[in-house]
Amino acid sequence: MRIVFKTSYDSDIDLHEHWRRRAKYAVLVGIMALLPFLVGEYYLAEAANTLIWALAGMGLMIAVGHTGQVSLGHAAFLAIGAYTDAALMNVGVPFWIAFPAAGLMAGVFGAIIAIPAVRMSGIYLAIATLAVFVIVEELVIMLEPITGGVGGIMAPSITAFGISFDRYGALGNFYWLILAVVVLVTWGYANLMRSPTGRSFLAVRDSEVSARALGINVTRTKALAFGLSSGVTGLAGALMGHYIGFFNYELFSIFISINLLLVVTIGGLGFIQGAFLGAILITGMPQVIAILRDSLNANFGINIGAVPGLDTMLFSVILILFIIFEPTGLYGRWLKIRTWFEIFPLARRDMFRRHKTYLKTERMK
């Protein structure tokens, strides 16, 4: 077990607990930066896709994991980000302006619809966000001169300072661009959660009654969180549009929203690291299924490719198992394993037993 002595206020509020943890993250980012030199284009493209999903997962994590707002319509903000970025670039706006504008557009739209929506909670809020998704889908079809309607729209290649960041022509540069965006957003997200604003998010998530008693404007806090969540998701949508190249409204279906919920739920609600672990699972599971399908067909003559909806079925089974046996997700399980090794041989079987606890102020809900 590591004991860290805090000798100053700066060390107490430091983002990292000690220098070794900071070094671990630096090494991890360094390895990710060297990935284009270590793997082929196929795996590099999969890594880029995983980072995009992790970015979208962090966006949803702000709303679901850190504010307690259930959303079934975050695919709408992916669509807003993708269409805004592509439409602006198609009229000559450079990527460095179109990209943040896409996140800003998604964030403003999310904040506007959140003002009335956040007064609801639970299943009612989920239904409201689902209705927003339907509205955005219809708007995409109606705004055909801008979005291409049913036919779709092309996301232009990214070029800046004479350097190409094209998804197919310069995959390594495109991957580095995504990695830089994800690192910056992760750094900002981590610092946000230790600020007064981030702590108000957690207070609202844990108990709205207690948060109001502490003087927190719950409605404004929820709207701000939902707007930030939508903005980060919009950035992911813009990158997803460039990753796909050509897309229409069918790309951002309700299944995308469900997969995003799987990312934050299976990865670990309330943990930034959970968004990355969930993204790895979501993007890696189809590849594992494909490898398993080819192996079974080649070695045993068993063809599971004819089974419809196999990916969805496996994701559903995994989600049910996590909800029953490990509601804290993959990262929560890792924390338990790490704690067990840190305090060994003092660890006991029931030290992580779940207890049904709640605040007295929440009993009437």
Side-chain angles (χ1 to χ4, degrees):
M1 178 183 296
R2 176 179 297 277
I3 299 176
V4 180
F5 293 98
K6 307 290 186 177
T7 57
S8 67
Y9 178 73
D10 290 337
S11 63
D12 188 52
I13 65 172
D14 195 357
L15 182 60
H16 302 97
E17 187 177 358
H18 46 78
W19 68 270
R20 291 189 178 181
R21 181 164 297 178
R22 183 182 295 108
K24 290 178 182 178
Y25 285 118
V27 170
L28 177 61
V29 173
I31 294 174
M32 294 296 294
L34 294 175
L35 210 58
F37 305 106
L38 303 176
V39 300
E41 288 194 353
Y42 175 79
Y43 292 103
L44 187 62
E46 290 299 318
N49 187 35
T50 302
L51 288 176
I52 293 173
W53 274 93
L55 182 61
M58 282 191 288
L60 185 59
M61 187 71 76
I62 298 175
V64 179
H66 286 126
T67 323
Q69 303 178 81
V70 181
S71 174
L72 288 176
H74 256 57
F77 305 112
L78 285 174
I80 292 173
Y83 278 105
T84 301
D85 176 79
L88 289 175
M89 291 188 67
N90 280 330
V91 297
V93 178
F95 173 77
W96 307 112
I97 298 177
F99 180 66
L104 181 62
M105 178 66 73
V108 170
F109 184 83
I112 291 174
I113 63 102
I115 293 174
V118 296
R119 299 182 184 275
M120 297 176 281
S121 61
I123 188 63
Y124 302 104
L125 178 60
I127 294 174
T129 55
L130 185 59
V132 171
F133 163 77
V134 175
I135 292 172
V136 170
E137 188 177 50
E138 293 298 324
L139 285 175
V140 168
I141 298 175
M142 293 171 58
L143 299 175
E144 184 175 355
I146 300 175
T147 63
V150 178
I153 190 173
M154 175 71 73
S157 299
I158 304 172
T159 303
F161 308 108
I163 303 175
S164 173
F165 295 89
D166 183 66
R167 155 72 170 87
Y168 298 98
L171 180 58
N173 294 341
F174 182 66
Y175 168 80
W176 281 324
L177 173 64
I178 296 173
L179 179 63
V181 172
V182 171
V183 170
L184 288 175
V185 171
T186 304
W187 177 79
Y189 189 0
N191 281 281
L192 171 68
M193 294 315 300
R194 65 194 186 114
S195 69
T197 301
R199 295 180 182 183
S200 67
F201 291 170
L202 300 180
V204 170
R205 179 196 65 184
D206 293 338
S207 172
E208 293 185 17
V209 176
S210 300
R212 286 192 180 94
L214 292 173
I216 297 174
N217 188 323
V218 174
T219 301
R220 184 177 61 188
T221 300
K222 281 188 172 183
L224 176 60
F226 203 87
L228 289 173
S229 172
S230 305
V232 174
T233 307
L235 295 178
L239 293 175
M240 187 176 292
H242 287 286
Y243 180 83
I244 301 298
F246 183 86
F247 57 91
N248 62 4
Y249 73 98
E250 293 180 348
L251 173 64
F252 308 101
S253 64
I254 185 62
F255 296 104
I256 297 295
S257 295
I258 295 174
N259 284 340
L260 275 178
L261 274 177
L262 288 175
V263 167
V264 298
T265 305
I266 297 177
L269 278 175
F271 301 106
I272 299 177
Q273 297 89 337
F276 289 88
L277 294 176
I280 292 172
L281 180 66
I282 287 294
T283 57
M285 180 64 71
Q287 308 305 322
V288 173
I289 293 175
I291 294 173
L292 179 62
R293 180 178 61 243
D294 295 340
S295 177
L296 290 176
N297 194 15
N299 298 324
F300 303 100
I302 301 175
N303 184 17
I304 62 174
V307 180
L310 184 61
D311 294 7
T312 305
M313 181 180 65
L314 287 178
F315 286 146
S316 302
V317 171
I318 292 174
L319 177 61
I320 292 172
L321 292 177
F322 268 97
I323 291 175
I324 296 175
F325 299 105
E326 190 51 80
T328 57
L330 291 171
Y331 190 71
R333 171 53 55 182
W334 157 246
L335 290 179
K336 292 177 181 179
I337 294 173
R338 188 182 69 182
T339 303
W340 191 89
F341 279 104
E342 285 178 348
I343 66 176
F344 182 82
L346 301 178
R348 295 294 181 266
R349 183 182 62 181
D350 296 333
M351 61 184 298
F352 298 115
R353 180 183 293 275
R354 295 168 58 191
H355 298 283
K356 292 183 179 180
T357 60
Y358 51 85
L359 298 175
K360 293 181 180 180
T361 53
E362 301 293 320
R363 286 182 178 177
M364 300 304 296
K365 283 193 173 183

